[in-house]
Amino acid sequence: MNRQQILDLPSMPLAGPSYPAGPYRFVNREYMIISYETDPELIRHHLPEPLMPIAQPVVHYEWIKMPDSSGFGTYTETGIIIPCTFGDEEVSFVSQMYLDLEPPISAGREIWGFPKKYAHPKLEVIKDTLTGTLEYAGQQVAMGTMGYKHESLAGNGVRTTAMLTKTQVNLKIIPGVDGEPEICQLVALNLTDITVKGSWIGPGRLHLIPHVNAPVADLPVRRVLGAHHFIADLTLPFGRKIHDYMKG
């Protein structure tokens, strides 16, 4: 292969790239988000500077089922989102993510710095209950439950779209071949082309179990604030660098 052909590759390996070029379109992406309060000092510990906590010590634990993802196929992920501020803007810091498919793990880490690890999350309706679970290394480490479609969220398209368009921030760390940090930065992105197909709120519960390699319980549940279930089509575009730790 010549230089231009190499530069045109969307990803490694050369013989069969892990993922195609983006942006990436998601159809019927289904979310369950359980919001809860935790200890303020733990939130501060989990936020990299210069991100700052908001006044209320809120965490969003989310499950996302993706049945139709361009370039990736079908998979499920789960993880922790921490509301915070970057300068004057309120943003969402993506703290932990666990999913069950290699291409979006590779793409997520290499392009946007999503903190993705391989695990076995599930999101499914069981009888009258929307149920999310996370299994890591053969052990269940998270379970969330929500009453199924108890209440349609009034004006759900506008409110849910506003939530989805909120800026997401990741800590992207990639070492160089010498073992020293080569990329160490905060990366931001905003979802686009959003169509909300349904949105519901209802009672929810969340149980987190300590695990050394899936430390979701390091942000323990003190009080559940509510649960939100919705389905949407959206596009994941490329992002932008907002802070470079290599430059001091």
Side-chain angles (χ1 to χ4, degrees):
M1 297 185 79
N2 62 38
R3 177 179 179 275
Q4 191 56 54
Q5 289 172 320
I6 293 169
L7 291 173
D8 287 342
L9 288 170
S11 60
M12 298 181 294
L14 178 152
S18 291
Y19 51 88
Y24 305 91
R25 183 68 177 167
F26 295 80
V27 177
N28 292 329
R29 204 179 208 215
E30 184 174 14
Y31 290 74
M32 178 175 72
I33 301 176
I34 300 176
S35 301
Y36 69 93
E37 288 185 342
T38 191
D39 300 327
E41 66 274 14
L42 294 177
I43 285 186
R44 174 65 276 180
H45 176 73
H46 283 81
L47 286 177
E49 62 177 14
L51 300 179
M52 297 295 293
I54 61 173
Q56 187 179 18
V58 177
V59 173
H60 302 307
Y61 193 100
E62 64 180 27
W63 276 269
I64 311 174
K65 181 189 289 185
M66 285 153 281
D68 184 350
S69 308
S70 63
F72 300 140
T74 178
Y75 64 102
T76 303
E77 70 183 22
T78 186
I80 288 176
I81 308 297
I82 304 175
C84 58
T85 60
F86 178 75
D88 295 329
E89 182 183 7
E90 185 169 321
V91 300
S92 297
F93 176 65
V94 185
S95 178
Q96 300 181 46
M97 298 184 81
Y98 303 92
L99 57 157
D100 56 3
L101 187 63
E102 189 275 332
I105 292 176
S106 296
R109 291 171 66 103
E110 292 171 7
I111 300 173
W112 302 275
F114 281 114
K116 299 192 175 195
K117 297 180 72 173
Y118 182 78
H120 296 282
K122 287 184 180 179
L123 178 62
E124 55 190 339
V125 181
I126 302 176
K127 305 297 185 182
D128 59 350
T129 309
L130 183 61
T131 304
T133 57
L134 171 61
E135 179 185 291
Y136 192 100
Q139 302 298 314
Q140 183 171 290
V141 296
M143 181 180 70
T145 54
M146 177 182 177
Y148 186 64
K149 294 187 177 181
H150 274 211
E151 182 181 349
S152 182
L153 184 59
N156 64 67
V158 173
R159 291 175 60 182
T160 306
T161 298
M163 184 189 69
L164 285 169
T165 54
K166 186 177 178 181
T167 299
Q168 299 180 43
V169 175
N170 302 322
L171 175 61
K172 182 176 181 178
I173 303 174
I174 297 180
V177 71
D178 58 359
E180 296 296 322
E182 187 158 307
I183 295 174
C184 190
Q185 55 196 215
L186 289 178
V187 174
L189 64 103
N190 296 85
L191 302 174
T192 62
D193 303 321
I194 297 167
T195 301
V196 176
K197 297 181 171 180
S199 185
W200 304 269
I201 55 176
R205 297 292 185 273
L206 180 63
H207 179 53
L208 305 176
I209 301 168
H211 192 292
V212 67
N213 285 320
V216 292
D218 284 4
L219 288 163
V221 179
R222 299 306 182 206
R223 182 169 70 101
V224 172
L225 301 174
H228 188 188
H229 171 213
F230 57 92
I231 299 171
D233 298 346
L234 54 86
T235 297
L236 173 62
F238 294 115
R240 59 196 182 276
K241 181 174 62 178
I242 60 173
H243 184 77
D244 193 338
Y245 296 94
M246 301 298 290
K247 295 182 179 179

